[in-house]
Amino acid sequence: MLALDQVSLNYGSFRALDGVNLHAREGELVVLLGANGAGKSSIFLTASGLHKAAGGSIKFQNRELVGMKPSQIVASGVVQCPEGRKLFPQMSVLKNLTLGAYVHRSDRAGNQKVLDEVLGMFPILDEKKDDPAGSLSGGQQQMVAIGRALMGRPKALLLDEPSLGLAPLVVKMVFEVIQRINQAGTTVLLAEQNAFAALRIAHRAYVLERGRIVLEGDRESLLNNEAVRRAYIGA
């Protein structure tokens, strides 16, 4: 469904991605593991069209994404939920959510239907829909960020470090929501440093180091891999 083939990315003279090959099949939940700077966010930014690949191919449903505008990529069904949430703190929760539907702005009835589904998934956001997004707790802001991405009607959802800075109980809730989104049929790519929580809900995973894929496998094989456990799980 989503496939990267020999994708490279440069930041000036720095090689951020070096011949990355990965794929996510329809309905899969695939995790990208790696330390800060390993290349997880670079993969998402390149797949989203926000950074221009230096080489390689990125295809979604056999359609080449390299060279497409970010808005076209969103309209095709690939939607990113960025690291750090990137909300507009002075704007209301509702306005932040509706911004996610910009590429579908002509379909008001469809957008209302998706909005109702998002607010049903996150009832606290319905209660706080008129509040400034910046006034919410960290966990609630992450709900807004995920909800905004869902307003883009993703077929493939790219989630970048959704557990960052959240309390353990909130992290548990966020991962339960991610699993529900995937079980409802959305393909999910999840970039995470919280390896144990991510692998528990994953079908497969890739490990990145210095812009390269160094290991891949299914959930069980990586959970039981001693090197992965020492580096990312702490056991």
Side-chain angles (χ1 to χ4, degrees), residues 67-212:
M68 289 176 62
K69 296 178 180 179
S71 59
Q72 294 174 319
I73 292 174
V74 171
S76 76
V78 179
V79 181
Q80 181 182 9
C81 181
E83 179 182 358
R85 302 157 198 155
K86 304 294 192 295
L87 302 180
F88 294 91
Q90 304 304 320
M91 292 173 60
S92 71
V93 167
L94 184 60
K95 287 184 177 178
N96 271 276
L97 290 172
T98 54
L99 280 174
Y102 181 76
V103 299
H104 306 293
R105 58 193 178 278
S106 62
D107 182 13
R108 294 186 179 181
N111 289 337
Q112 184 61 54
K113 179 177 182 294
V114 178
L115 178 62
D116 290 343
E117 291 171 355
V118 168
L119 295 178
M121 182 179 293
F122 303 112
I124 188 65
L125 300 187
D126 196 13
E127 295 178 24
K128 295 178 175 288
K129 61 187 177 185
D130 297 320
D131 294 355
S135 70
L136 273 57
S137 69
Q140 291 165 355
Q141 289 187 32
Q142 188 61 63
M143 294 178 200
V144 177
I146 294 173
R148 180 181 59 187
L150 293 176
M151 291 294 296
R153 308 183 194 180
K155 298 171 185 173
L157 178 61
L158 315 182
L159 288 164
D160 197 354
E161 301 284 2
S163 74
L164 192 66
L166 302 182
L169 283 177
V170 180
V171 170
K172 182 176 183 292
M173 181 275 297
V174 167
F175 277 92
E176 287 173 352
V177 167
I178 293 169
Q179 190 171 33
R180 290 207 308 272
I181 292 168
N182 174 245
Q183 290 172 344
T186 302
T187 300
V188 175
L189 268 72
L190 172 62
E192 260 296 336
Q193 290 189 58
N194 190 334
F196 183 68
L199 286 174
R200 286 184 67 184
I201 65 171
H203 295 112
R204 294 187 301 110
Y206 294 88
V207 178
L208 284 98
E209 291 181 4
R210 300 179 182 178
R212 295 182 179 183

Side-chain angles (χ1 to χ4, degrees), residues 2 4 6-12 14-22 32-55 57-58 65-66 73 78 80-83 86 158-161 189-193 208-213:
L2 179 64
L4 281 69
Q6 289 295 309
V7 172
S8 297
L9 174 69
N10 299 327
Y11 296 138
F14 176 67
R15 192 76 155 177
L17 298 176
D18 190 4
V20 168
N21 296 300
L22 65 83
L32 308 183
L33 301 177
N36 280 332
K40 304 187 302 297
S41 294
S42 293
I43 287 174
F44 284 1
L45 291 167
T46 308
S48 300
L50 297 171
H51 288 170
K52 184 179 179 181
S57 169
I58 304 173
L65 300 185
V66 173
I73 292 174
V78 179
Q80 181 182 9
C81 181
E83 179 182 358
K86 304 294 192 295
L158 315 182
L159 288 164
D160 197 354
E161 301 284 2
L189 268 72
L190 172 62
E192 260 296 336
Q193 290 189 58
L208 284 98
E209 291 181 4
R210 300 179 182 178
R212 295 182 179 183
I213 302 289

